Amino acid sequence: SSIRSWLNSTFINSAFSTEEREMIPSILVINDDHPTYGTNGGNNTTDRIFLLSIEEANNYSLSDSARAVKATAYAVSQGVYVNSENGNSWWWLRSSGISSYYAASVNTDGHIIANGISVNDNISGVRPALWIDFSNLESTNP
């Protein structure tokens, strides 16, 4: 997808220094079919930066309040929607929605919208995920 391409090129190169990028490993990203609708999740990929799946969003953020997020100033300047009541924004997940024209997302209350929103939506935010490999760091502690 265009988000995946942007995350692993423009975003990673502008958001992280060379030293930081060296600590971000490529990992196998599993793209399971939708857990309720069975919509095809697509091919598994190998990426350094990725979006969370429905399952990962549930596992890593155990409550709606933990998933509710405020957009950065940069995201707002790019047109991300901000809810006037709570100041939070929607954000994309990588899981498919009810059809291939929809992708799962998280709303401004932090609730996972499993049936998804149109992939043509241009006001939802992106909340990148990554793993960090500390094994190559030289220890500064004796």
Side-chain angles (χ1 to χ4, degrees), residues 6-141:
W6 177 79
L7 286 171
N8 285 282
S9 59
T10 304
F11 175 76
I12 196 170
N13 290 321
S14 62
F16 301 97
S17 69
T18 301
E19 294 79 20
E20 291 167 333
R21 284 192 303 271
E22 290 173 359
M23 296 172 54
I24 303 172
S26 293
I27 63 153
L28 178 63
V29 178
I30 305 297
N31 295 304
D32 292 326
D33 292 347
H34 193 284
T36 303
Y37 306 112
T39 313
N40 186 324
N43 296 327
N44 296 335
T45 60
T46 301
D47 294 310
R48 297 171 72 192
I49 310 283
F50 54 95
L51 300 182
L52 296 176
S53 66
I54 291 172
E55 181 181 14
E56 290 164 343
N58 275 317
N59 289 343
Y60 299 136
S61 301
L62 300 178
S63 68
D64 286 357
S65 62
R67 286 186 294 271
V69 297
K70 302 210 179 311
T72 63
Y74 176 79
V76 172
S77 76
Q78 298 301 304
V80 167
Y81 167 78
V82 176
N83 182 301
S84 61
E85 293 180 19
N86 62 19
N88 296 333
S89 295
W90 285 67
W91 51 281
W92 290 103
L93 297 174
R94 77 171 181 272
S95 299
S96 58
I98 196 166
S99 78
S100 62
Y101 298 105
Y102 291 83
S105 62
V106 176
N107 73 12
T108 61
D109 293 325
H111 181 74
I112 293 174
I113 307 300
N115 61 333
I117 57 175
S118 170
V119 295
N120 293 319
D121 169 84
N122 62 0
I123 61 171
S124 292
V126 177
R127 193 174 186 193
L130 58 108
W131 292 102
I132 298 174
D133 180 357
F134 292 103
S135 65
N136 293 329
L137 286 180
E138 290 185 39
S139 176
T140 56
N141 297 322

